[in-house]
């Protein structure tokens, strides 16, 4: 484990904590896309199929359990919690899951490192994670006014992606035979999706004004 | 064991 990977995992973890804190303490999920959260729950469920079959490390297993539990509890909060669910912007969050899930599934069936159920599911989760943020970005674009916590949540997710790219570069140069085109390309696509958001985030931070996206 | 793999990532 290198420093970029650890920092990437920690920012990823922080993004989830920020979101759970917002939902749990303010009892509001305003500005958060349920579609994106459901896609993330699906991403973790399909990626971590190996959780009970392949032991990598205690760290790995615990982090997987945290990501599974947190993503499903966020979905539960937004759908079931009697106060939180009232703040959900249902009419604005109209992105269709299937438009993202189907192409990712098809792509994973054709492009994968090994044609087995677990491997295809793993590849599917990589493709889906790359685009799962889209409903969230569309929602941000529509509501334009972003509260601090939502802004920090998306920022931390983007930071996590950027750090993972540094992790791959580091591993490529330090570990023999570490070549993973599928992971790299889908990871790069995912990070690029944040570029536009980052531009506005840094501008608002630099000018010390509230983050607001253009119409 | 085995080759380094992106499967050990989260």
């Amino acid at each position: 484990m290198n420093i970029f990977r650890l920092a990437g995992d920690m920012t990823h973890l922080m993004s989830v904590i920020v979101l759970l804190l917002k939902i749990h303490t303010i009892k509001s999920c305003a500005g958060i896309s349920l579609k994106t959260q459901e896609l993330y729950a699906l991403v973790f469920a399909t990626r971590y199929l190996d959780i009970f079959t392949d032991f990598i490390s205690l760290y790995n297993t615990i982090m997987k359990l945290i990501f599974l539990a947190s993503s499903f509890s966020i979905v539960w909060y937004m759908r079931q919690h009697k106060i939180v669910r009232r703040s959900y912007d249902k009419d604005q969050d109209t992105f269709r899951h299937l438009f993202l899930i189907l192409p990712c599934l098809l792509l994973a069936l054709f492009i994968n490192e090994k044609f087995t159920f677990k491997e295809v599911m793993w590849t599917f989760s990589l493709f889906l994670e790359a685009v799962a943020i889209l409903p969230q970005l569309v929602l941000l674009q529509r509501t334009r006014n972003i509260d601090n916590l939502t802004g920090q949540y998306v920022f931390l997710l983007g930071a996590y992606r950027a750090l993972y790219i540094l992790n791959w570069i580091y591993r490529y140069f330090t570990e023999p035979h570490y070549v993973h085109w599928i992971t790299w390309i889908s990871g790069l696509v995912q990070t690029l999706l944040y570029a536009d958001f980052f531009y506005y985030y840094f501008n608002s931070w630099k000018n010390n004004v509230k983050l607001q996206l253009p119409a | 064991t085995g080759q380094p793999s992106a499967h050990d990532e989260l």
Side-chain angles (χ1 to χ4, degrees), chain A residues 95-111:
Chain A
F95 212 101
R96 302 238 174 245
H97 300 92
L98 273 186
F99 284 153
L100 297 177
I101 293 174
L102 271 185
C104 289
L105 194 58
L106 282 176
L107 210 58
L109 283 170
F110 289 107
I111 304 170

Side-chain angles (χ1 to χ4, degrees), chain A residues 47-48 60 168 171 175-176 178, chain B residues 3-10:
Chain A
R47 184 172 308 167
Y48 299 158
N60 202 279
W168 295 329
R171 290 189 77 171
E175 294 176 29
Y178 182 79
Chain B
Q3 292 190 344
S5 159
H7 282 67
D8 62 20
E9 292 170 356
L10 299 160

Side-chain angles (χ1 to χ4, degrees), chain A residues 1-211:
Chain A
M1 168 111 67
N2 59 67
I3 186 73
F4 304 113
R5 160 76 198 282
L6 183 64
D9 285 349
M10 289 306 117
T11 41
H12 194 188
L13 189 62
M14 275 159 62
S15 73
V16 175
I17 292 173
V18 162
L19 188 53
L20 267 173
L21 267 179
K22 170 185 157 95
I23 291 176
H24 189 79
T25 56
I26 314 176
K27 293 279 182 288
S28 161
C29 62
I32 300 297
S33 165
L34 176 62
K35 311 280 173 149
T36 286
Q37 296 307 319
E38 287 174 338
L39 291 174
Y40 279 142
L42 184 60
V43 163
F44 292 131
T46 49
R47 184 172 308 167
Y48 299 158
L49 288 175
D50 64 350
I51 189 164
F52 297 115
T53 56
D54 301 297
F55 181 77
I56 294 159
S57 66
L58 190 61
Y59 169 84
N60 202 279
T61 304
I62 291 174
M63 290 294 273
K64 282 175 176 170
L65 287 172
I66 293 177
F67 285 131
L68 279 168
S70 56
S71 61
F72 278 93
S73 50
I74 289 167
V75 170
W76 178 84
Y77 259 117
M78 293 183 73
R79 295 188 80 108
Q80 307 288 340
H81 191 281
K82 63 179 194 295
I83 302 169
V84 174
R85 71 173 187 199
R86 271 189 249 145
S87 56
Y88 170 49
D89 306 316
K90 194 169 190 277
D91 302 329
Q92 304 266 25
D93 191 24
T94 53
F95 212 101
R96 302 238 174 245
H97 300 92
L98 273 186
F99 284 153
L100 297 177
I101 293 174
L102 271 185
C104 289
L105 194 58
L106 282 176
L107 210 58
L109 283 170
F110 289 107
I111 304 170
N112 51 63
E113 289 181 12
K114 210 165 48 183
F115 193 72
T116 62
F117 177 70
K118 234 161 70 173
E119 191 66 24
V120 169
M121 284 296 107
W122 184 78
T123 313
F124 165 72
S125 81
L126 289 177
F127 293 153
L128 190 62
E129 189 189 355
V131 291
I133 195 69
L134 282 173
Q136 179 65 65
L137 293 178
V138 168
L139 184 63
L140 286 185
Q141 201 66 243
R142 282 187 180 163
T143 44
R144 289 181 61 211
N145 264 314
I146 301 148
D147 66 74
N148 285 336
L149 286 175
T150 309
Q152 277 149 17
Y153 167 67
V154 181
F155 172 80
L156 286 166
L157 272 179
Y160 141 65
R161 293 318 310 176
L163 285 160
Y164 253 70
I165 289 180
L166 295 179
N167 157 59
W168 295 329
I169 294 171
Y170 182 88
R171 290 189 77 171
Y172 177 76
F173 285 111
T174 54
E175 294 176 29
H177 316 295
Y178 182 79
V179 179
H180 288 283
W181 286 109
I182 295 175
T183 317
W184 295 346
I185 292 173
S186 51
L188 194 64
V189 168
Q190 187 178 359
T191 314
L192 288 175
L193 289 180
Y194 289 89
D196 190 55
F197 172 83
F198 268 128
Y199 174 79
Y200 293 106
Y201 189 88
F202 279 119
N203 263 345
S204 76
W205 176 74
K206 199 175 69 191
N207 303 327
N208 208 13
V209 292
K210 193 165 155 41
L211 177 59

